[in-house]
Coordinates of all heavy atoms in Angstrom, one line a residue:
M157 N 23.8 -40.0 -36.0 CA 22.4 -39.5 -36.2 C 22.3 -38.7 -37.5 O 23.3 -38.1 -38.0 CB 22.0 -38.7 -35.0 CG 20.5 -38.4 -35.0 SD 19.9 -37.6 -33.5 CE 20.0 -38.9 -32.3
D158 N 21.1 -38.7 -38.1 CA 20.9 -37.9 -39.4 C 21.4 -36.5 -39.2 O 21.1 -35.8 -38.3 CB 19.4 -38.0 -39.6 CG 19.1 -37.5 -41.0 OD1 19.8 -36.7 -41.6 OD2 18.0 -38.0 -41.6
N159 N 22.1 -36.0 -40.2 CA 22.5 -34.6 -40.2 C 21.4 -33.6 -40.4 O 21.5 -32.5 -40.1 CB 23.6 -34.4 -41.3 CG 24.9 -35.0 -40.8 OD1 25.2 -35.2 -39.6 ND2 25.8 -35.3 -41.8
N160 N 20.3 -34.0 -41.1 CA 19.2 -33.2 -41.3 C 18.0 -33.7 -40.5 O 17.1 -34.3 -41.1 CB 18.9 -33.0 -42.8 CG 20.0 -32.3 -43.5 OD1 20.4 -31.2 -43.0 ND2 20.5 -32.8 -44.6
C161 N 18.1 -33.6 -39.3 CA 17.1 -34.3 -38.4 C 15.8 -33.4 -38.3 O 15.9 -32.3 -37.6 CB 17.7 -34.5 -37.0 SG 16.6 -35.4 -36.0
K162 N 14.7 -33.8 -39.0 CA 13.5 -33.0 -39.0 C 12.9 -32.9 -37.6 O 12.8 -33.9 -36.9 CB 12.5 -33.5 -40.0 CG 11.4 -32.6 -40.3 CD 10.7 -33.1 -41.6 CE 9.6 -32.2 -42.0 NZ 10.0 -30.8 -42.4
R163 N 12.6 -31.7 -37.2 CA 12.0 -31.5 -35.9 C 12.9 -31.9 -34.7 O 12.4 -32.3 -33.6 CB 10.6 -32.2 -35.7 CG 9.6 -31.7 -36.7 CD 8.3 -32.3 -36.5 NE 7.3 -31.8 -37.4 CZ 6.0 -32.3 -37.5 NH1 5.7 -33.3 -36.7 NH2 5.2 -31.7 -38.3
C164 N 14.2 -31.8 -34.9 CA 15.1 -32.0 -33.8 C 15.7 -30.7 -33.4 O 16.0 -29.8 -34.2 CB 16.3 -32.9 -34.3 SG 15.9 -34.6 -34.3
L165 N 15.9 -30.6 -32.1 CA 16.7 -29.5 -31.5 C 18.1 -29.9 -31.7 O 18.5 -31.1 -31.9 CB 16.3 -29.3 -30.1 CG 14.9 -28.9 -29.8 CD1 14.7 -28.9 -28.3 CD2 14.5 -27.6 -30.4
L166 N 19.1 -28.9 -31.6 CA 20.5 -29.3 -31.7 C 20.9 -30.3 -30.7 O 21.7 -31.2 -31.0 CB 21.3 -28.0 -31.5 CG 21.5 -27.1 -32.6 CD1 22.2 -25.8 -32.2 CD2 22.2 -27.7 -33.8
F167 N 20.3 -30.2 -29.5 CA 20.6 -31.1 -28.4 C 20.3 -32.5 -28.9 O 21.1 -33.5 -28.5 CB 19.7 -30.8 -27.2 CG 19.8 -31.7 -26.1 CD1 21.0 -31.8 -25.3 CD2 18.8 -32.6 -25.8 CE1 21.1 -32.7 -24.3 CE2 18.9 -33.5 -24.7 CZ 20.1 -33.5 -24.0
E168 N 19.3 -32.7 -29.7 CA 18.9 -34.1 -30.1 C 19.6 -34.5 -31.4 O 19.6 -35.7 -31.8 CB 17.4 -34.2 -30.3 CG 16.7 -33.8 -29.0 CD 15.2 -33.5 -29.3 OE1 15.0 -32.7 -30.2 OE2 14.4 -33.9 -28.5
A169 N 20.1 -33.6 -32.2 CA 20.6 -33.9 -33.5 C 22.0 -34.4 -33.5 O 22.5 -34.8 -34.6 CB 20.5 -32.6 -34.4
G170 N 22.6 -34.5 -32.4 CA 24.0 -35.0 -32.3 C 25.0 -34.1 -32.8 O 26.2 -34.5 -33.1
Q171 N 24.7 -32.8 -33.0 CA 25.7 -31.9 -33.4 C 26.3 -31.2 -32.2 O 26.1 -30.0 -31.9 CB 25.1 -30.9 -34.4 CG 24.5 -31.6 -35.6 CD 23.9 -30.6 -36.6 OE1 24.2 -29.4 -36.6 NE2 23.0 -31.1 -37.5
N172 N 27.2 -32.0 -31.5 CA 27.6 -31.6 -30.2 C 28.5 -30.3 -30.2 O 28.4 -29.5 -29.3 CB 28.4 -32.7 -29.5 CG 27.5 -33.8 -29.1 OD1 26.3 -33.6 -28.9 ND2 28.0 -35.0 -29.1
V173 N 29.3 -30.1 -31.3 CA 30.2 -28.9 -31.3 C 29.3 -27.7 -31.4 O 29.4 -26.8 -30.6 CB 31.2 -29.0 -32.5 CG1 31.9 -27.7 -32.6 CG2 32.2 -30.1 -32.2
T174 N 28.4 -27.7 -32.3 CA 27.5 -26.6 -32.5 C 26.6 -26.4 -31.3 O 26.5 -25.3 -30.8 CB 26.6 -26.8 -33.7 OG1 27.4 -27.0 -34.9 CG2 25.7 -25.6 -34.0
Y175 N 26.1 -27.5 -30.7 CA 25.3 -27.4 -29.5 C 26.0 -26.7 -28.4 O 25.5 -25.8 -27.7 CB 24.8 -28.7 -29.1 CG 24.0 -28.7 -27.8 CD1 22.7 -28.1 -27.8 CD2 24.5 -29.1 -26.6 CE1 22.0 -28.0 -26.6 CE2 23.8 -29.1 -25.4 CZ 22.5 -28.5 -25.4 OH 21.9 -28.4 -24.3
N176 N 27.3 -27.1 -28.2 CA 28.1 -26.6 -27.1 C 28.4 -25.1 -27.4 O 28.4 -24.3 -26.4 CB 29.4 -27.3 -26.9 CG 29.1 -28.7 -26.3 OD1 28.1 -28.9 -25.7 ND2 30.0 -29.6 -26.6
Q177 N 28.6 -24.7 -28.6 CA 28.9 -23.3 -29.0 C 27.6 -22.5 -28.7 O 27.7 -21.4 -28.2 CB 29.3 -23.2 -30.4 CG 30.7 -23.7 -30.7 CD 31.0 -23.8 -32.2 OE1 30.1 -23.9 -33.0 NE2 32.2 -23.8 -32.5
I178 N 26.5 -23.0 -29.0 CA 25.2 -22.3 -28.8 C 25.0 -22.1 -27.3 O 24.6 -21.1 -26.8 CB 24.0 -23.1 -29.4 CG1 24.1 -23.1 -30.9 CG2 22.7 -22.5 -29.0 CD1 24.0 -21.8 -31.6
Q179 N 25.2 -23.2 -26.5 CA 25.1 -23.1 -25.1 C 26.0 -22.1 -24.5 O 25.7 -21.3 -23.6 CB 25.2 -24.5 -24.4 CG 24.1 -25.4 -24.8 CD 22.7 -24.9 -24.5 OE1 22.5 -24.4 -23.4 NE2 21.8 -24.9 -25.4
D180 N 27.3 -22.1 -25.0 CA 28.2 -21.1 -24.5 C 27.8 -19.7 -24.8 O 27.9 -18.7 -24.0 CB 29.6 -21.3 -25.1 CG 30.3 -22.5 -24.5 OD1 29.9 -23.0 -23.5 OD2 31.3 -23.0 -25.2
Y181 N 27.2 -19.5 -26.0 CA 26.7 -18.2 -26.4 C 25.5 -17.8 -25.5 O 25.4 -16.6 -25.0 CB 26.3 -18.2 -27.9 CG 25.6 -16.9 -28.2 CD1 26.3 -15.7 -28.3 CD2 24.2 -16.8 -28.5 CE1 25.7 -14.5 -28.6 CE2 23.6 -15.7 -28.8 CZ 24.3 -14.5 -28.9 OH 23.7 -13.3 -29.2
I182 N 24.6 -18.7 -25.2 CA 23.4 -18.4 -24.4 C 23.9 -17.9 -23.0 O 23.3 -17.0 -22.4 CB 22.5 -19.6 -24.3 CG1 21.8 -19.8 -25.7 CG2 21.5 -19.5 -23.2 CD1 21.0 -21.1 -25.8
K183 N 24.9 -18.5 -22.5 CA 25.4 -18.1 -21.2 C 25.9 -16.7 -21.1 O 26.0 -16.1 -20.1 CB 26.6 -19.1 -20.8 CG 26.1 -20.4 -20.4 CD 27.3 -21.3 -20.1 CE 26.9 -22.8 -20.0 NZ 28.1 -23.7 -20.0
T184 N 26.3 -16.1 -22.3 CA 26.8 -14.8 -22.3 C 25.6 -13.7 -22.4 O 25.9 -12.5 -22.2 CB 27.7 -14.5 -23.5 OG1 26.9 -14.5 -24.8 CG2 28.8 -15.5 -23.6
I185 N 24.4 -14.2 -22.6 CA 23.3 -13.3 -22.7 C 22.8 -12.9 -21.3 O 22.6 -13.8 -20.5 CB 22.1 -14.0 -23.5 CG1 22.5 -14.4 -24.9 CG2 20.9 -13.0 -23.6 CD1 21.5 -15.2 -25.6
D186 N 22.6 -11.6 -21.1 CA 22.2 -11.1 -19.8 C 20.8 -11.7 -19.4 O 19.9 -11.9 -20.3 CB 22.1 -9.6 -19.8 CG 21.9 -9.1 -18.4 OD1 20.8 -8.9 -17.9 OD2 23.0 -8.8 -17.8
A187 N 20.7 -12.1 -18.2 CA 19.4 -12.7 -17.7 C 18.2 -11.9 -17.9 O 17.1 -12.4 -18.2 CB 19.6 -13.1 -16.2
S188 N 18.4 -10.6 -17.9 CA 17.2 -9.7 -18.1 C 16.7 -9.8 -19.6 O 15.6 -9.3 -19.8 CB 17.7 -8.2 -17.8 OG 18.6 -7.8 -18.8
E189 N 17.5 -10.3 -20.5 CA 17.1 -10.5 -21.9 C 16.5 -11.8 -22.2 O 16.0 -12.1 -23.3 CB 18.3 -10.2 -22.8 CG 18.9 -8.9 -22.7 CD 20.1 -8.7 -23.5 OE1 20.1 -9.2 -24.7 OE2 21.0 -8.0 -23.1
K190 N 16.5 -12.7 -21.2 CA 16.0 -14.1 -21.4 C 14.6 -14.3 -20.8 O 14.3 -13.7 -19.8 CB 17.0 -15.1 -20.7 CG 18.4 -15.1 -21.3 CD 19.2 -16.1 -20.5 CE 20.6 -16.0 -20.9 NZ 21.5 -16.9 -20.1
V191 N 13.9 -15.2 -21.4 CA 12.6 -15.7 -20.9 C 12.9 -16.7 -19.7 O 14.0 -17.2 -19.6 CB 11.7 -16.3 -21.9 CG1 11.3 -15.3 -23.0 CG2 12.4 -17.5 -22.6
N192 N 11.9 -16.9 -18.9 CA 12.1 -17.9 -17.9 C 12.0 -19.3 -18.4 O 11.7 -19.6 -19.6 CB 11.1 -17.7 -16.7 CG 9.6 -18.0 -17.1 OD1 9.4 -18.8 -18.0 ND2 8.7 -17.2 -16.6
D193 N 12.4 -20.3 -17.6 CA 12.5 -21.7 -18.1 C 11.2 -22.2 -18.6 O 11.2 -23.0 -19.6 CB 12.9 -22.6 -16.9 CG 14.4 -22.3 -16.5 OD1 15.1 -21.7 -17.3 OD2 14.8 -22.8 -15.4
E194 N 10.1 -21.8 -18.0 CA 8.7 -22.3 -18.4 C 8.4 -21.8 -19.8 O 8.0 -22.6 -20.7 CB 7.7 -21.8 -17.5 CG 6.3 -22.4 -17.8 CD 5.3 -21.9 -16.7 OE1 5.6 -21.3 -15.7 OE2 4.1 -22.1 -17.0
V195 N 8.7 -20.6 -20.1 CA 8.4 -20.0 -21.4 C 9.4 -20.6 -22.4 O 8.9 -21.0 -23.5 CB 8.6 -18.5 -21.4 CG1 8.5 -17.9 -22.8 CG2 7.5 -17.9 -20.5
Y196 N 10.6 -20.8 -22.0 CA 11.6 -21.4 -23.0 C 11.2 -22.8 -23.4 O 11.2 -23.1 -24.5 CB 13.0 -21.4 -22.3 CG 14.1 -21.7 -23.1 CD1 14.4 -21.1 -24.4 CD2 15.1 -22.7 -22.7 CE1 15.5 -21.4 -25.2 CE2 16.2 -23.0 -23.5 CZ 16.4 -22.4 -24.7 OH 17.4 -22.7 -25.5
S197 N 10.8 -23.6 -22.4 CA 10.4 -24.9 -22.7 C 9.2 -25.0 -23.6 O 9.1 -25.8 -24.5 CB 10.1 -25.7 -21.4 OG 11.2 -25.9 -20.6
H198 N 8.2 -24.1 -23.3 CA 7.0 -24.0 -24.1 C 7.4 -23.7 -25.6 O 6.9 -24.3 -26.5 CB 6.0 -23.0 -23.6 CG 4.9 -22.7 -24.5 ND1 3.9 -23.7 -24.7 CD2 4.6 -21.7 -25.3 CE1 3.0 -23.2 -25.6 NE2 3.5 -22.0 -26.0
R199 N 8.2 -22.7 -25.7 CA 8.6 -22.3 -27.1 C 9.3 -23.4 -27.8 O 9.0 -23.7 -29.0 CB 9.6 -21.0 -27.0 CG 8.8 -19.8 -26.6 CD 9.8 -18.6 -26.5 NE 9.2 -17.3 -26.4 CZ 9.8 -16.2 -26.4 NH1 11.1 -16.1 -26.6 NH2 9.1 -15.1 -26.3
L200 N 10.2 -24.1 -27.2 CA 11.0 -25.2 -27.8 C 10.0 -26.3 -28.1 O 10.2 -27.0 -29.2 CB 12.1 -25.6 -27.0 CG 13.3 -24.6 -26.8 CD1 14.4 -25.3 -25.9 CD2 13.8 -24.2 -28.1
S201 N 9.0 -26.5 -27.3 CA 8.1 -27.6 -27.6 C 7.3 -27.3 -28.8 O 6.9 -28.2 -29.6 CB 7.2 -27.9 -26.4 OG 6.3 -26.9 -26.2
M202 N 7.0 -26.0 -29.0 CA 6.2 -25.7 -30.2 C 7.1 -25.8 -31.5 O 6.7 -26.3 -32.5 CB 5.8 -24.2 -30.1 CG 4.8 -23.9 -29.0 SD 3.4 -25.1 -29.0 CE 2.5 -24.5 -30.4
C203 N 8.4 -25.5 -31.3 CA 9.3 -25.7 -32.5 C 9.4 -27.1 -32.8 O 9.5 -27.5 -34.0 CB 10.7 -25.1 -32.1 SG 10.8 -23.3 -32.0
K204 N 9.4 -28.0 -31.8 CA 9.6 -29.4 -32.1 C 8.4 -30.0 -32.8 O 8.6 -31.1 -33.4 CB 9.8 -30.2 -30.7 CG 11.3 -30.0 -30.2 CD 11.5 -30.7 -28.9 CE 11.1 -32.2 -28.9 NZ 11.9 -33.0 -29.9
K205 N 7.3 -29.3 -32.8 CA 6.1 -29.8 -33.6 C 6.1 -29.2 -35.0 O 5.1 -29.4 -35.7 CB 4.9 -29.5 -32.8 CG 4.7 -30.2 -31.5 CD 3.5 -29.7 -30.8 CE 3.5 -30.0 -29.3 NZ 2.4 -29.3 -28.6
C206 N 7.0 -28.3 -35.3 CA 6.9 -27.5 -36.5 C 7.7 -28.1 -37.6 O 8.8 -28.5 -37.5 CB 7.4 -26.1 -36.1 SG 7.4 -25.0 -37.5
D207 N 7.1 -28.1 -38.8 CA 7.8 -28.6 -40.0 C 8.9 -27.7 -40.4 O 9.7 -28.1 -41.3 CB 6.8 -28.6 -41.2 CG 5.8 -29.8 -41.0 OD1 6.1 -30.7 -40.2 OD2 4.7 -29.7 -41.6
N208 N 9.0 -26.5 -39.9 CA 10.1 -25.6 -40.3 C 11.4 -25.8 -39.5 O 12.4 -25.2 -39.7 CB 9.7 -24.1 -40.1 CG 8.6 -23.7 -41.1 OD1 8.8 -24.0 -42.3 ND2 7.5 -23.2 -40.6
L209 N 11.4 -26.7 -38.5 CA 12.6 -27.0 -37.7 C 13.4 -28.2 -38.4 O 12.9 -29.3 -38.5 CB 12.2 -27.5 -36.3 CG 13.3 -27.8 -35.4 CD1 14.1 -26.5 -35.1 CD2 12.8 -28.4 -34.1
I210 N 14.6 -27.8 -38.8 CA 15.5 -28.8 -39.3 C 16.9 -28.7 -38.6 O 17.5 -27.7 -38.6 CB 15.8 -28.6 -40.8 CG1 14.5 -28.6 -41.6 CG2 16.8 -29.6 -41.4 CD1 13.9 -30.0 -41.8
S211 N 17.2 -29.8 -37.9 CA 18.5 -29.9 -37.2 C 18.8 -28.6 -36.3 O 19.9 -28.1 -36.3 CB 19.7 -30.0 -38.2 OG 19.6 -31.2 -38.9
G212 N 17.7 -28.2 -35.6 CA 17.9 -27.1 -34.7 C 17.7 -25.8 -35.3 O 17.8 -24.8 -34.6
M213 N 17.6 -25.7 -36.6 CA 17.5 -24.4 -37.3 C 16.1 -24.2 -37.8 O 15.4 -25.1 -38.4 CB 18.5 -24.3 -38.4 CG 18.5 -23.0 -39.1 SD 19.8 -22.9 -40.4 CE 21.3 -23.0 -39.4
C214 N 15.6 -22.9 -37.6 CA 14.3 -22.6 -38.2 C 14.5 -22.2 -39.6 O 15.2 -21.2 -39.9 CB 13.7 -21.4 -37.4 SG 12.2 -20.8 -38.1
L215 N 13.7 -22.8 -40.5 CA 13.8 -22.5 -41.9 C 13.2 -21.1 -42.3 O 13.5 -20.6 -43.3 CB 13.1 -23.6 -42.8 CG 13.8 -24.9 -42.7 CD1 13.0 -25.9 -43.6 CD2 15.3 -24.9 -43.1
K216 N 12.4 -20.6 -41.4 CA 11.8 -19.3 -41.6 C 12.7 -18.1 -41.4 O 12.6 -17.1 -42.0 CB 10.5 -19.1 -40.7 CG 9.4 -19.9 -41.2 CD 8.8 -19.5 -42.5 CE 7.6 -20.3 -42.9 NZ 7.1 -19.9 -44.2
C217 N 13.7 -18.3 -40.5 CA 14.6 -17.1 -40.2 C 16.1 -17.5 -40.3 O 16.9 -16.6 -40.3 CB 14.2 -16.6 -38.8 SG 14.5 -17.7 -37.5
G218 N 16.4 -18.8 -40.3 CA 17.8 -19.2 -40.3 C 18.4 -19.2 -38.9 O 19.6 -19.4 -38.8
C219 N 17.6 -19.0 -37.9 CA 18.1 -18.9 -36.5 C 18.2 -20.3 -35.9 O 17.4 -21.2 -36.3 CB 17.2 -18.1 -35.6 SG 17.1 -16.4 -36.0
Y220 N 19.1 -20.5 -35.0 CA 19.0 -21.7 -34.1 C 18.0 -21.4 -33.1 O 18.0 -20.4 -32.4 CB 20.4 -22.0 -33.5 CG 21.4 -22.5 -34.4 CD1 22.6 -21.8 -34.7 CD2 21.3 -23.7 -35.0 CE1 23.5 -22.3 -35.6 CE2 22.2 -24.2 -35.9 CZ 23.4 -23.5 -36.2 OH 24.3 -24.0 -37.1
V221 N 17.0 -22.3 -33.1 CA 15.8 -22.0 -32.2 C 16.2 -22.0 -30.7 O 15.5 -21.2 -30.0 CB 14.6 -22.9 -32.5 CG1 14.1 -22.8 -33.9 CG2 14.9 -24.3 -32.2
E222 N 17.2 -22.7 -30.4 CA 17.6 -22.7 -28.9 C 18.1 -21.3 -28.5 O 18.1 -21.0 -27.3 CB 18.6 -23.8 -28.7 CG 17.8 -25.2 -28.5 CD 18.6 -26.4 -29.1 OE1 19.0 -26.3 -30.3 OE2 18.7 -27.4 -28.4
V223 N 18.5 -20.5 -29.5 CA 18.9 -19.2 -29.1 C 17.7 -18.2 -29.3 O 17.4 -17.5 -28.4 CB 20.1 -18.7 -30.1 CG1 20.3 -17.2 -29.8 CG2 21.3 -19.5 -29.8
R224 N 17.0 -18.3 -30.4 CA 15.9 -17.4 -30.7 C 14.9 -17.5 -29.6 O 14.3 -16.5 -29.1 CB 15.3 -17.7 -32.0 CG 14.3 -16.6 -32.4 CD 13.7 -16.8 -33.8 NE 12.8 -15.8 -34.1 CZ 13.1 -14.7 -34.9 NH1 14.3 -14.6 -35.4 NH2 12.2 -13.8 -35.2
A225 N 14.6 -18.7 -29.2 CA 13.5 -18.9 -28.2 C 13.8 -18.4 -26.8 O 12.9 -18.2 -26.0 CB 13.1 -20.4 -28.1
I226 N 15.1 -18.2 -26.5 CA 15.4 -17.7 -25.1 C 15.3 -16.2 -25.0 O 15.3 -15.7 -23.9 CB 16.8 -18.3 -24.7 CG1 16.8 -18.4 -23.2 CG2 17.9 -17.4 -25.2 CD1 17.9 -19.3 -22.6
L227 N 15.2 -15.5 -26.1 CA 15.3 -14.1 -26.1 C 13.9 -13.5 -26.0 O 13.0 -13.8 -26.8 CB 15.9 -13.6 -27.4 CG 17.4 -14.0 -27.5 CD1 17.9 -13.7 -28.9 CD2 18.2 -13.2 -26.5
K228 N 13.7 -12.7 -25.0 CA 12.4 -12.0 -24.7 C 11.9 -11.2 -25.9 O 10.7 -11.2 -26.2 CB 12.5 -11.0 -23.5 CG 12.4 -11.7 -22.2 CD 12.5 -10.6 -21.1 CE 12.6 -11.2 -19.7 NZ 12.8 -10.2 -18.7
N229 N 12.8 -10.6 -26.6 CA 12.4 -9.7 -27.7 C 12.2 -10.4 -29.0 O 12.1 -9.7 -30.1 CB 13.4 -8.5 -27.8 CG 14.7 -9.0 -28.3 OD1 15.0 -10.2 -28.3 ND2 15.5 -8.0 -28.7
K230 N 12.2 -11.7 -29.0 CA 12.0 -12.5 -30.3 C 10.7 -13.2 -30.2 O 10.2 -13.5 -29.1 CB 13.2 -13.5 -30.5 CG 14.5 -12.8 -30.7 CD 14.6 -12.1 -32.0 CE 16.0 -11.5 -32.3 NZ 16.0 -10.6 -33.4
N231 N 10.2 -13.5 -31.4 CA 9.0 -14.4 -31.5 C 9.1 -15.3 -32.6 O 10.1 -15.2 -33.4 CB 7.7 -13.5 -31.5 CG 7.8 -12.5 -32.6 OD1 8.4 -12.7 -33.7 ND2 7.2 -11.3 -32.4
C232 N 8.2 -16.2 -32.8 CA 8.2 -17.1 -33.9 C 8.1 -16.3 -35.2 O 7.2 -15.5 -35.3 CB 7.0 -18.1 -33.8 SG 6.8 -19.1 -35.3
P233 N 9.0 -16.5 -36.2 CA 9.0 -15.6 -37.4 C 8.1 -16.1 -38.4 O 8.0 -15.4 -39.5 CB 10.5 -15.8 -37.9 CG 10.8 -17.2 -37.5 CD 10.1 -17.4 -36.1
N234 N 7.3 -17.1 -38.2 CA 6.3 -17.5 -39.2 C 5.1 -16.7 -39.1 O 4.1 -16.9 -38.4 CB 6.0 -19.0 -39.0 CG 5.2 -19.6 -40.1 OD1 4.8 -18.9 -41.0 ND2 4.9 -20.9 -40.0
F235 N 5.0 -15.6 -40.0 CA 3.9 -14.7 -39.9 C 2.6 -15.3 -40.3 O 1.5 -14.9 -39.9 CB 4.2 -13.5 -40.8 CG 5.3 -12.7 -40.3 CD1 6.5 -12.6 -41.0 CD2 5.2 -11.9 -39.1 CE1 7.6 -11.9 -40.5 CE2 6.3 -11.2 -38.6 CZ 7.5 -11.2 -39.3
D236 N 2.6 -16.4 -41.0 CA 1.4 -17.1 -41.5 C 0.8 -18.0 -40.3 O -0.4 -18.3 -40.3 CB 1.6 -18.0 -42.7 CG 2.0 -17.1 -43.9 OD1 1.6 -15.9 -44.0 OD2 2.8 -17.6 -44.7
D237 N 1.7 -18.4 -39.4 CA 1.2 -19.3 -38.4 C 2.1 -19.2 -37.2 O 2.9 -20.2 -36.9 CB 1.2 -20.8 -39.0 CG 0.7 -21.8 -38.0 OD1 -0.1 -21.4 -37.1 OD2 1.0 -23.0 -38.2
K238 N 2.1 -18.1 -36.5 CA 3.0 -17.9 -35.3 C 2.7 -18.9 -34.3 O 1.6 -19.1 -33.8 CB 2.7 -16.5 -34.8 CG 3.6 -15.4 -35.4 CD 3.6 -14.2 -34.6 CE 4.4 -13.1 -35.2 NZ 5.8 -13.5 -35.6
K239 N 3.7 -19.5 -33.8 CA 3.6 -20.5 -32.7 C 3.8 -20.0 -31.3 O 3.4 -20.6 -30.4 CB 4.5 -21.7 -33.0 CG 4.5 -22.3 -34.4 CD 3.3 -23.2 -34.5 CE 3.5 -24.0 -35.8 NZ 2.2 -24.6 -36.3
W240 N 4.6 -18.9 -31.3 CA 4.9 -18.3 -30.0 C 5.4 -16.9 -30.2 O 5.6 -16.5 -31.2 CB 6.0 -19.1 -29.2 CG 7.2 -19.5 -29.9 CD1 7.4 -20.7 -30.5 CD2 8.4 -18.8 -30.0 NE1 8.7 -20.7 -31.1 CE2 9.3 -19.6 -30.8 CE3 8.9 -17.5 -29.6 CZ2 10.6 -19.1 -31.1 CZ3 10.1 -17.1 -29.9 CH2 11.0 -17.9 -30.7
Ligands
SF4_310 S1 8.6 -21.3 -37.5 FE1 8.4 -20.8 -35.4 S2 7.7 -22.7 -34.4 FE2 8.6 -23.2 -36.4 S3 10.7 -23.7 -36.0 FE3 10.6 -21.5 -36.6 S4 10.5 -20.4 -34.6 FE4 10.0 -22.6 -34.2

């Protein structure tokens, strides 16, 4: 699959090593710091429609969105057009 997959999450971009590392990291985050599944899915769905998403990374902040979106204390970093 394309290494620079526009509007792809890591899960879809075929970058399995990075994806697995991200999932392992997410597992270490305390549940109290995470949004629920519904909010997480909504956030990721917004990222998937966004031109700033490249191969799972947000061009506005350099974060992997699968990590940023799960954190309660984070929001979409695009100040001109916040998606979540
Ligand atoms: S700008 Fe916001 S919606 Fe777009 S990829 Fe980044 S976090 Fe997701």
Side-chain angles (χ1 to χ4, degrees):
M157 194 173 287
D158 190 333
N159 286 336
N160 292 311
C161 184
K162 194 161 180 66
R163 295 186 179 172
C164 280
L165 301 174
L166 279 174
F167 176 69
E168 300 161 317
Q171 299 183 19
N172 290 332
V173 172
T174 304
Y175 176 73
N176 289 336
Q177 289 170 337
I178 293 296
Q179 292 306 309
D180 286 346
Y181 174 70
I182 287 172
K183 286 176 193 164
T184 70
I185 301 171
D186 192 272
S188 66
E189 298 176 38
K190 296 179 188 176
V191 297
N192 64 35
D193 290 347
E194 184 179 349
V195 172
Y196 189 51
S197 293
H198 171 72
R199 288 179 171 188
L200 292 181
S201 72
M202 298 308 290
C203 290
K204 282 178 54 62
K205 297 177 195 168
C206 179
D207 287 339
N208 292 309
L209 181 66
I210 302 288
S211 297
M213 184 177 290
C214 173
L215 294 181
K216 288 292 180 180
C217 64
C219 294
Y220 288 115
V221 297
E222 280 142 309
V223 173
R224 189 177 182 98
I226 207 163
L227 295 168
K228 279 182 184 171
N229 67 346
K230 296 293 184 189
N231 52 33
C232 170
N234 187 357
F235 293 110
D236 298 328
D237 185 21
K238 271 196 184 307
K239 307 281 191 199
W240 48 266

